[in-house]
């Protein structure tokens, strides 16, 4: 019986723990995924070629119900760097680091308002430039050349390696495009559906801009999430089955052990319904206590998993507790069915045969 | 009308081996009958049929006016509960229940547990002060007396005892046989089964079976 209790408790532990983690995964993983870059772009609206800083601020304000990891503004222009035409982006580096934490920098990020430049790895290699060297930058054929220090080289594995990056305000001044932007990248904690609705809300309320989902990331995020959840579900089902088997085996042993007692009760006039009620009742009590024990342990288990994997605590969910206790009772009930059948088939005559 | 009447009763386990063949016997109300015979002669098989635990392969058994031939499993259970009180060689007390609780189990399956009545039944067999003891804390003789108290608790019309003294020493055997004498004097109908002649002779009358057939009978010389 103690073994069956253990089995139920372990089963309930895994199940309540898994369900807790299962429910937490989308939220927690959503946060994790934000490390892979922006999931929403804000582009200029129809018939417009630029955004304004005001537009971006308005949109930021309209998203106050969401957890925004960062909004990075970008202004793109083809500049001449050491006489080479290179697509250069002015941006807010502190924001960029939040939106794209995966960028790898050799050297350091440019400092705000300083004449420092971040070169894409491909360009740096082509021009054979190392961090710390200087380059001559000009806004066009007739414009003056200005000296910039290459603060760092960026590796992203993507098209960014062909670009150069400078401070936004500096570029705006050089191009005389004060307050103007080409686009803004937003990293926001939201799943596919929520992201869609954010996008819809923006395009309805702010016709001067045009939101665009970064499909690739949002999509792969969904895929990974659903796969993870399927895995958790699978493990839960397997654990349920194992618990079922273990409890059934133990109950079977209990029935075998109590054959004489069952025979005696029948000899005293117990009906099959009496025997069934007794064993099912015992199974339910077992399921109840195992469930309570397991739910408590499962909460701790989920806490440990969440702390280690996501670095965040999970909240105790009473609905999960109730569910796993009820599930434990149902499982022990089902597991008792075969042993109970065996119990009812015990003949009262065995008590006289002296087995 | 006799309390128990067996007519041409045969029992074949698995349809082949005859454990009983053409048994004819009657037990009157208030009678104490012993069934004697060597081991393997079919005594326990007979007990099971009379005790409503098993059905004979052929023949008729009438208990307290009810023909057991055409009752179903469910009715057999009810008859066993209401009509029979059983005493076993191995006592069959539930090990984790106290003496009085073991008696209350029989009340529970019959009707309702009544602790006072259960205690009175223990008093009846001289074990009032052992009510709270577990079977493991009782001697064999005491366990058998608890078993007898349990057999009596639902007022059976027939008390069946299969080798009631088989696991007891001489002193306890005497004690238990005295209880049977008292019960008989009170008017209970008793059927004891034994392979020991000295135990069989305590009854009013003995039926001897050998190889599943009645081989003879003897009445006590009063
Ligand atoms: N359940 C059973 N299945 C098959 N044979 C049995 C069964 N019970 C008893 N027998 C056989 O029936 C015969 C009589 O047994 P039993 O009634 O137990 O004798 P006794 O009680 O007189 O020692 C024996 O040969 C025994 O092997
Ligand atoms: Mg026998």
């Amino acid at each position: 019986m103690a073994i069956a209790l253990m089995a139920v408790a372990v089963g309930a532990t895994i199940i309540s723990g898994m369900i807790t983690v299962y429910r937490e995964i989308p939220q927690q993983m959503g946060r994790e995924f934000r490390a892979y870059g922006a999931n929403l772009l804000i582009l200029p609206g129809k018939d417009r070629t630029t955004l304004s800083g005001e537009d971006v601020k308005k949109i930021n304000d309209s998203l106050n119900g969401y957890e925004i990891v960062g909004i990075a503004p970008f202004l793109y222009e083809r500049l001449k760097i050491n006489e080479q035409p290179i697509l250069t982006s002015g941006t807010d580096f502190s924001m960029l680091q939040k939106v794209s934490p995966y960028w790898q920098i050799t050297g350091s990020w440019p400092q705000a308002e300083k004449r420092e430049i971040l070169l894409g790895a491909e360009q740096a290699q082509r021009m054979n430039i190392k961090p710390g060297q200087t380059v001559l930058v000009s806004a066009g054929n007739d414009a003056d050349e200005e000296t910039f220090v290459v603060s760092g080289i960026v590796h992203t594995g993507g098209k960014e390696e062909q670009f150069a990056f400078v401070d936004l305000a500096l570029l705006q001044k050089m191009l005389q495009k004060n307050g103007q932007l080409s686009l803004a990248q937003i990293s926001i904690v939201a799943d596919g559906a929520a992201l869609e609705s954010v996008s819809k809300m923006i395009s309805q309320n702010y016709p001067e801009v045009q939101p665009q989902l970064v499909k690739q990331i949002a999509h792969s995020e969904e895929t990974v999430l659903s796969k993870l959840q399927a895995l958790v579900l699978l493990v839960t089902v397997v654990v349920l089955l194992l618990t079922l088997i273990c409890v059934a085996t133990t109950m079977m042993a209990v029935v075998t052990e109590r054959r004489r007692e069952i025979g005696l009760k029948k000899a005293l006039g117990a009906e099959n319904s009496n025997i069934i009620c007794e064993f099912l009742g015992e199974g339910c009590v077992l399921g109840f206590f195992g469930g309570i024990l397991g739910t408590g342990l499962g909460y701790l288990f989920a806490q440990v998993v969440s702390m280690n994997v996501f670095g965040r605590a999970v909240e105790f969910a009473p609905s999960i507790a109730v569910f796993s206790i009820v599930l434990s009772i149902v499982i022990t009930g089902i597991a008792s069915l075969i042993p109970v059948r065996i119990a009812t088939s015990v003949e009262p005559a065995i008590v006289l045969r002296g087995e | 009308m006799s309390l128990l009447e067996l007519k041409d009763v045969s029992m074949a386990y698995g349809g082949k081996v005859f454990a009983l063949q053409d048994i004819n016997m009657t037990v009157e109300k208030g009678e104490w009958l012993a069934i004697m015979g060597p081991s393997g002669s079919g005594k326990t098989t007979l007990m099971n049929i009379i005790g409503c635990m098993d059905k004979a392969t052929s023949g008729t058994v009438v208990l307290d006016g009810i023909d057991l031939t055409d009752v179903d499993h469910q009715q057999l259970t009810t008859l066993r509960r209401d009509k029979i009180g059983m005493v076993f060689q191995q006592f069959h007390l539930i090990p984790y229940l106290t003496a009085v609780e073991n008696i209350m189990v029989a009340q529970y399956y019959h009707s309702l547990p009544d602790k006072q009545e259960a205690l009175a039944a223990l008093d009846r067999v001289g074990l009032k002060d052992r009510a709270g003891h577990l079977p493991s804390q009782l001697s064999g003789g005491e366990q058998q007396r608890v078993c007898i108290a349990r057999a009596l608790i639902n007022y059976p019309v027939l008390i069946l005892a299969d080798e009631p003294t088989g696991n007891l020493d001489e002193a306890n055997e005497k004690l238990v046989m005295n209880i049977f004498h008292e019960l008989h004097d009170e008017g209970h109908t008793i059927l004891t089964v034994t392979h020991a002649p000295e135990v069989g002779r305590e009854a009013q009358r003995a039926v001897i079976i050998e190889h599943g057939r009645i081989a003879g009978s003897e009445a006590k010389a009063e």
Side-chain angles (χ1 to χ4, degrees):
Chain A
M1 260 332 196
I3 296 171
L5 186 71
M6 288 274 291
V8 176
V10 169
T13 301
I14 306 281
I15 284 156
S16 68
M18 280 297 189
I19 294 172
T20 308
V21 172
Y22 179 88
R23 291 217 325 188
E24 285 290 319
I25 280 179
Q27 223 185 339
Q28 306 282 25
M29 287 302 283
R31 217 163 265 121
E32 299 286 307
F33 267 110
R34 294 299 91 242
Y36 296 103
N39 48 3
L40 185 64
L41 297 184
I42 302 296
L43 303 170
K46 259 196 206 128
D47 313 324
R48 300 174 94 228
T49 52
T50 57
L51 288 174
S52 72
E54 309 288 288
D55 293 335
V56 174
K57 204 170 164 313
K58 269 190 299 191
I59 285 160
N60 190 5
D61 292 344
S62 75
L63 296 176
N64 58 9
Y66 292 89
E67 191 178 334
I68 309 250
V69 177
I71 297 190
F74 288 93
L75 174 63
Y76 290 109
E77 189 64 57
R78 199 167 289 278
L79 297 186
K80 281 199 160 162
I81 300 175
N82 283 359
E83 294 299 313
Q84 305 278 338
I86 292 175
L87 193 61
T88 303
S89 166
T91 188
D92 175 341
F93 288 108
S94 62
M95 269 301 180
L96 180 59
Q97 285 176 59
K98 287 186 192 159
V99 173
S100 301
Y102 66 96
W103 283 24
Q104 287 186 319
I105 310 291
T106 314
S108 60
W109 290 90
Q111 288 170 297
E113 311 275 335
K114 283 234 172 111
R115 289 179 189 281
E116 292 183 337
I117 189 166
L118 187 66
L119 274 184
E122 209 176 303
Q123 297 294 0
Q125 196 181 19
R126 206 156 59 88
M127 298 193 287
N128 196 18
I129 290 175
K130 300 258 170 335
Q133 290 181 314
T134 56
V135 288
L136 291 173
V137 178
S138 76
N141 284 331
D142 336 320
D144 294 338
E145 288 192 324
E146 295 188 49
T147 307
F148 274 69
V149 177
V150 177
S151 69
I153 312 284
V154 60
H155 296 262
T156 65
K159 59 184 181 341
E160 294 86 355
E161 295 188 0
Q162 299 163 9
F163 297 179
F165 298 85
V166 296
D167 181 69
L168 174 65
L170 213 58
L171 186 65
Q172 284 173 334
K173 212 184 292 167
M174 279 171 72
L175 300 171
Q176 282 147 15
K177 287 185 171 180
N178 275 340
Q180 290 183 31
L181 299 173
S182 308
L183 62 85
Q185 292 185 354
I186 305 184
S187 177
I188 178 171
V189 179
D191 62 16
L195 216 50
E196 291 276 358
S197 74
V198 165
S199 166
K200 202 166 274 169
M201 183 275 289
I202 291 174
S203 60
Q204 267 168 12
N205 295 353
Y206 305 98
E208 61 274 25
V209 305
Q210 186 189 333
Q212 187 183 320
L213 297 181
V214 181
K215 274 279 171 10
Q216 214 178 352
I217 288 179
H219 187 70
S220 64
E221 191 171 329
E222 298 282 290
T223 318
V224 171
L225 274 183
S226 60
K227 278 186 181 162
L228 257 175
Q229 290 193 321
L231 185 70
V232 169
L233 204 64
L234 188 73
V235 170
T236 306
V237 169
V238 169
V239 168
L240 270 180
L241 277 176
L242 287 179
T243 308
L244 194 77
I245 292 169
C246 186
V247 174
T249 317
T250 319
M251 290 296 276
M252 214 95 96
V254 168
V255 168
T256 312
E257 200 178 285
R258 294 205 205 147
R259 250 171 72 83
R260 285 168 52 137
E261 185 182 318
I262 297 164
L264 168 79
K265 286 176 174 174
K266 287 193 166 184
L268 291 177
E271 317 233 351
N272 277 340
S273 58
N274 293 122
I275 305 291
I276 292 170
C277 285
E278 282 171 31
F279 275 99
L280 281 188
E282 211 164 305
C284 287
V285 169
L286 186 79
F288 180 69
F289 285 107
I292 286 183
L293 193 64
T295 303
L297 291 173
Y299 174 62
L300 292 180
F301 169 77
Q303 195 70 271
V304 170
V305 168
S306 186
M307 283 309 252
N308 283 315
V309 178
F310 304 122
R312 282 172 62 106
V314 290
E315 270 175 45
F316 180 76
S319 59
I320 294 180
V322 171
F323 175 75
S324 56
I325 291 171
V326 170
L327 192 65
S328 302
I329 294 175
V330 170
I331 289 290
T332 43
I334 294 172
S336 304
L337 287 181
I338 295 174
V340 163
R341 265 213 72 82
I342 295 174
T344 57
S345 71
V346 170
E347 294 284 335
I350 62 165
V351 293
L352 284 181
R353 283 201 204 107
E355 279 174 28
Chain B
M1 190 182 59
S2 310
L3 179 69
L4 177 71
E5 197 170 336
L6 275 73
K7 222 166 155 191
D8 300 327
V9 170
S10 293
M11 181 66 166
Y13 286 113
K16 282 184 250 161
V17 192
F18 275 88
L20 289 176
Q21 244 176 324
D22 301 326
I23 300 289
N24 288 286
M25 60 185 256
T26 53
V27 179
E28 302 302 329
K29 217 177 210 110
E31 195 182 8
W32 181 2
L33 175 72
I35 294 172
M36 300 205 295
S39 230
S41 55
K43 305 183 299 295
T44 296
T45 304
L46 188 58
M47 272 287 119
N48 275 328
I49 292 168
I50 296 171
C52 305
M53 311 238 269
D54 222 339
K55 282 180 90 170
T57 315
S58 64
T60 50
V61 181
V62 180
L63 172 67
D64 205 17
I66 298 158
D67 190 343
L68 301 186
T69 323
D70 30 59
V71 302
D72 62 20
H73 199 83
Q74 173 69 41
Q75 290 166 308
L76 215 54
T77 302
T78 312
L79 281 172
R80 178 162 74 230
R81 182 167 67 208
D82 295 339
K83 306 265 181 215
I84 308 289
M86 250 180 295
V87 179
F88 313 101
Q89 179 175 359
Q90 293 98 343
F91 324 134
H92 291 303
L93 298 174
I94 297 175
Y96 51 86
L97 297 181
T98 62
V100 69
E101 285 166 348
N102 264 287
I103 295 172
M104 287 161 73
V105 167
Q107 292 177 315
Y108 169 76
Y109 291 121
H110 181 266
S111 44
L112 275 177
D114 178 342
K115 191 160 186 179
Q116 288 315 312
E117 210 181 342
L119 285 171
L122 272 182
D123 194 20
R124 170 78 191 69
V125 295
L127 288 176
K128 194 180 183 137
D129 53 335
R130 302 291 180 146
H133 287 55
L134 291 174
S136 57
Q137 297 166 322
L138 299 173
S139 74
E142 287 167 336
Q143 289 186 55
Q144 191 58 301
R145 279 143 71 195
V146 175
C147 188
I148 294 171
R150 180 177 62 188
L152 292 173
I153 195 69
N154 296 318
Y155 307 102
V157 297
L158 178 62
I159 297 166
L160 295 181
D162 193 0
E163 308 276 7
T165 57
N167 282 355
L168 301 182
D169 59 26
E170 218 166 303
N172 276 306
E173 176 178 312
K174 219 170 191 150
L175 216 63
V176 165
M177 290 323 285
N178 277 340
I179 293 176
F180 280 115
H181 276 292
E182 284 168 27
L183 292 174
H184 180 227
D185 292 344
E186 283 168 19
H188 285 279
T189 313
I190 305 171
L191 227 165
T192 49
V193 162
T194 181
H195 68 279
E198 68 278 11
V199 175
R201 265 177 229 120
E202 299 272 340
Q204 275 179 301
R205 182 163 73 91
V207 169
I208 297 149
I209 56 176
E210 270 166 28
H211 304 298
R213 291 170 184 276
I214 292 185
S217 66
E218 52 186 64
K220 193 170 175 178
E222 301 272 349

